[in-house]
């Protein structure tokens, strides 16, 4: 019986049939039937999530004419290498200065800058709010928090004005810096810091750790899982930015992958037919880094969301 | 030599609440002083004032002849053991012990020697590379003490260090703390709400109530001659019986019985009698003391607790298990020396 339960919980599956007694064999059959239902549900979920991606991938291996005349393709075509070579290395765009590789790099810079910048700024902000008593500290927090009510789209024109005024258009700084203040991140870190026992701070004070040491030696290591969780979220958000880079950069050397996908359909008109295969190929490539980040940090991500190491 | 002097210490919180109301305590070299009292009596606040974790509103804290009111905890030459251990969860035991020394800029070799010495003393040498989460409660407690020991402080501050342990382990660790403190010959303040811990550990007990000192004395003094009804009822288990009584002509009157008073008093008083000093006599004897109506008997093995009432007021007596179980009506045999008289209104000892 316990073996069956282990199998149900998804631990290394021990065949239910090894159960000896008749009663537990009956129970085992029941569990097996349940398992089959569960697996069908899970498979349907997988199909729903992965199906479009798989079809996008298979379609991207065909030539644009086939795609245009016959629609999405379920089987593999024989255009895989040419398509992906073109997507990654071909100089494209209006000025023929940008490649898929270059755009990925830009996206990576944006994603990393976004994630790392937000983590640093929001951790410091939360540290100040939770551990230092300064006039109007609580008010400061709620003002930061209330910016959640104003999404980027609402304040994009003033933001543009500011970036333009600072002369930061068409620069990585201009792409990243204005966005690294994060109310979400500050809020998450604030909640986490508040859950750190006060005695830890007191023990550190007795151990001679000043504010900087306490932050670096105690709080940052304790926040590891939180940092990983926020890193994933912010990296994906940064990577997927679309409107912001369009407004802040006009120079094609700053193009990100997400913009590139659209660009292919708009500009890369080979003869008469848009290069559907290349657009889909670029979409697949655009997905890889966020997926990798999630896979790598998944464990810590889940840990960060459901528990805190204390 | 005096290690610590607390002079007229007052703690007032910004909201105006008075947690400590002018307290004087001294701790001699190598002495273990226990602050005991119910929760909210200010004992922890007072300890934290000594540690430097709470500011001192008024008064002075003098440690080793140096006024430390405005000195950071790290520079006070104290070490503190917290109730929930407050170990750094992400550091190994070794790093937990070494962290304070490292921050002081102690050379690595010296840190290593000190950490290993403390680990040996506390028998945690095998766990040095483990994280606190991999240790049991008792082991964590030892690590917390180790962290205090490596600092080689002028005074140890224990803030209810055993209350997170189960009863059996608590008794064992209590004994260990006492041995350790004796061996290191370092002064210590130990805060607890558990009067058994206070009695067993202390060289001197400071009983606190409502931010004020009720009594300071050795365990025997505090137990044998409580200064107030508060101390009388707080120290000792089961607590001292307190009866409302009248006095006059050198005698105490409870119901219809007159007992010779140990001190001169007139008017209403509170009479205190320790349960183990109330001897039971057969109810038929006429010469004995006040009658007691027995209502419940509790067997504890070695002793037996007899609950009942005397003159309509609750009363508990201790009886050795060898003695026969009494009937419903008994009389108390009381010695004048065993009677404690307290002022009816102020509760102070007469």
């Amino acid at each position: 019986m316990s073996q069956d339960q282990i199998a149900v919980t998804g631990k290394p599956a021990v065949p239910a049939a090894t159960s000896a007694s008749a009663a537990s064999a009956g129970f085992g059959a029941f569990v097996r039937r349940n398992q089959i239902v569960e697996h069908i549900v899970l498979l349907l979920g997988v199909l729903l999530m992965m199906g479009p991606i798989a079809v996008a991938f298979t379609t991207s291996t065909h030539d644009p004419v086939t795609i245009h005349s016959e629609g999405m393709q379920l089987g593999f075509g024989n255009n895989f290498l040419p398509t992906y070579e073109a997507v990654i290395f071909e100089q494209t765009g209006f000025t023929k200065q940008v490649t898929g590789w270059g755009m990925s790099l830009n996206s990576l810079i944006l994603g990393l800058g976004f994630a790392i910048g937000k983590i640093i700024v929001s951790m410091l902000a939360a540290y100040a709010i939770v551990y230092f008593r300064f006039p109007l500290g609580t008010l400061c927090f709620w003002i930061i928090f209330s910016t959640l009510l104003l999404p980027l789209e609402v304040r994009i024109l003033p933001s543009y004005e500011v970036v333009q005024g600072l002369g930061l258009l068409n620069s990585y700084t201009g792409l990243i810096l204005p966005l690294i203040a994060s109310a979400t991140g500050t809020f998450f870190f604030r909640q986490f810091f508040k859950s750190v026992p006060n005695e830890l701070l007191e023990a550190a004070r007795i151990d001679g750790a000043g504010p900087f040491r306490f932050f670096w030696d105690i709080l940052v290591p304790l926040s590891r899982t939180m940092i990983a969780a926020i890193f994933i979220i912010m990296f994906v958000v940064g990577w997927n930015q679309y409107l912001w880079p369009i407004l802040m950069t006009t120079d094609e050397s700053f193009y990100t992958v997400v913009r590139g996908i659209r660009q292919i359909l708009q500009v890369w008109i080979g003869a008469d037919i848009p290069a559907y295969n290349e657009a889909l190929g670029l979409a697949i490539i655009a997905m890889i880094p966020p997926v990798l980040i999630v896979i790598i940090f998944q464990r810590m991500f889940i840990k960060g969301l459901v528990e805190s190491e204390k | 030599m005096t290690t610590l002097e607390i002079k007229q210490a007052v703690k007032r919180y910004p909201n105006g609440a008075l947690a400590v109301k002018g307290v004087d305590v001294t701790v001699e070299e190598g002495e273990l002083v226990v602050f005991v009292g119910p929760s909210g009596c200010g004992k922890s606040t007072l300890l934290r004032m000594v540690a430097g974790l709470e500011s001192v509103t008024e008064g002075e804290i003098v440690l080793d002849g140096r006024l430390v009111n405005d000195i950071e905890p790290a520079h006070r030459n104290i070490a503190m053991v917290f109730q929930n251990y407050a170990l750094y969860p992400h550091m190994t035991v070794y790093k937990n012990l070494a962290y304070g020394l490292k921050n002081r800029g102690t050379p690595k070799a010296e840190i290593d020697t000190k950490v290993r010495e403390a680990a040996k003393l506390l028998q945690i040498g095998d766990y040095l590379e483990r994280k606190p989460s991999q240790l049991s409660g008792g082991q964590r407690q030892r690590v917390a003490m180790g962290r205090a020991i490596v600092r080689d402080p002028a005074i140890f501050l224990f803030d209810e260090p055993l209350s997170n342990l189960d009863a059996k382990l608590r008794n064992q660790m209590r004994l260990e703390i006492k041995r350790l403190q004796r061996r290191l010959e370092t002064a210590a303040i130990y805060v607890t709400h558990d009067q058994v811990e206070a009695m067993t550990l202390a060289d001197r007990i400071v009983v606190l109530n409502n931010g004020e000192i009720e009594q300071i004395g050795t365990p025997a003094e505090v137990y044998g001659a409580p200064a107030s009804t508060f101390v009388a009822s707080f120290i000792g288990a089961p607590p001292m019986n307190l009866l409302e009584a009248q006095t006059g002509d050198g005698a105490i009157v409870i119901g219809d019985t007159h007992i010779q008073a140990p001190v001169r008093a007139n008017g209403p008083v509170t009479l205190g009698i320790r349960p183990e000093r109330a001897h039971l006599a057969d109810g038929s004897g006429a010469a004995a003391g006040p009658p007691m109506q027995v209502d419940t008997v509790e067997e504890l093995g070695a002793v037996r607790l007899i609950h009942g009432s005397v003159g309509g007021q609750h009363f508990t007596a201790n009886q050795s298990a060898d003695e026969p179980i009494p009937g419903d009506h008994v009389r108390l045999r009381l010695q004048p020396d065993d009677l404690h008289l307290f002022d009816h209104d102020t509760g102070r000892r007469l």
Side-chain angles (χ1 to χ4, degrees), chain A residues 197-210 213-214 217-219 221-222 224 309-310, chain B residues 48 52-53 72-74 78-80 82 84 86-91 96 99-100 102-103 147 151:
Chain A
N198 216 14
E199 283 87 351
L200 230 45
L201 170 67
E202 292 173 346
R205 275 182 74 190
I206 291 176
D207 270 343
R213 277 239 176 95
F214 175 68
D217 287 349
I218 315 281
L219 271 188
L222 281 181
R224 267 197 330 262
E309 191 187 337
K310 257 169 284 160
Chain B
R48 293 163 57 81
L53 299 171
E72 270 292 298
I78 50 117
M80 188 153 168
F82 294 88
N84 65 0
L87 300 176
Y88 310 120
H90 58 291
M91 295 187 193
N96 262 287
Y99 188 62
K102 198 182 113 202
N103 286 344
R147 194 166 62 177
R151 296 178 58 88

Side-chain angles (χ1 to χ4, degrees), chain A residues 50-305:
Chain A
M50 296 300 292
I53 296 169
V55 173
F57 181 62
T58 51
T59 307
S60 73
T61 59
H62 289 265
D63 62 76
V65 180
T66 319
I67 302 169
H68 191 66
S69 54
E70 294 171 29
M72 302 298 271
Q73 301 292 313
L74 290 176
F76 283 98
N78 40 25
N79 245 356
F80 175 76
L81 279 178
T83 303
Y84 281 85
E85 200 189 342
V87 164
I88 296 173
F89 298 112
E90 197 172 282
Q91 306 281 332
T92 58
F94 222 63
T95 53
K96 300 289 173 202
Q97 273 178 349
V98 61
T99 61
W101 175 247
M103 290 191 286
S104 299
L105 227 57
N106 283 340
S107 287
L108 197 68
I109 290 169
L110 187 57
L112 286 177
F114 215 68
I116 295 170
K118 280 195 182 227
I119 286 169
I120 293 173
V121 171
S122 52
M123 268 189 103
L124 290 174
Y127 184 48
I129 288 166
V130 175
Y131 288 99
F132 295 87
R133 246 164 258 130
F134 53 94
L136 307 179
T138 318
L139 184 72
C140 284
F141 170 71
W142 288 110
I143 289 174
I144 294 173
F145 193 72
S146 66
T147 60
L148 280 178
L149 301 173
L150 295 170
L152 181 60
E153 288 74 13
V154 174
R155 52 191 159 89
I156 201 142
L157 286 178
S159 303
Y160 179 84
E161 183 75 31
V162 170
V163 174
Q164 192 266 337
L166 292 170
L168 291 175
L169 292 179
N170 282 321
S171 73
Y172 289 120
T173 319
L175 270 177
I176 296 167
L177 195 64
L179 294 190
I180 60 172
S182 165
T184 322
T186 308
F187 179 70
F188 276 128
F189 279 115
R190 172 186 180 258
Q191 296 310 101
F192 177 73
F193 289 166
K194 281 190 158 230
S195 73
V196 172
N198 216 14
E199 283 87 351
L200 230 45
L201 170 67
E202 292 173 346
R205 275 182 74 190
I206 291 176
D207 270 343
F212 181 77
R213 277 239 176 95
F214 175 68
F215 182 70
W216 189 248
D217 287 349
I218 315 281
L219 271 188
V220 172
L222 281 181
S223 314
R224 267 197 330 262
T225 51
M226 270 309 272
I227 292 173
I230 291 182
F231 180 81
I232 292 185
I233 296 171
M234 295 306 173
F235 179 84
V236 174
V237 169
W239 180 273
N240 287 339
Q241 282 297 315
Y242 181 66
L243 183 60
W244 181 254
I246 284 184
L247 281 168
M248 294 307 136
T249 57
T250 46
D251 190 331
E252 282 195 337
S253 61
F254 287 104
Y255 267 31
T256 61
V257 170
V258 183
R259 284 186 74 183
I261 296 169
R262 190 181 137 274
Q263 203 67 17
I264 289 174
L265 294 175
Q266 198 177 47
V267 182
W268 291 3
I269 301 171
D272 312 306
I273 304 165
Y276 292 119
N277 57 336
E278 293 183 5
L280 290 168
L282 196 57
I284 295 290
I285 288 175
M287 256 181 266
I288 293 171
V291 167
L292 281 181
I293 294 274
V294 171
I295 289 173
I296 293 167
F297 287 97
Q298 191 180 33
R299 267 203 168 157
M300 288 177 96
F301 178 67
I302 292 167
K303 231 175 144 188
L305 290 183

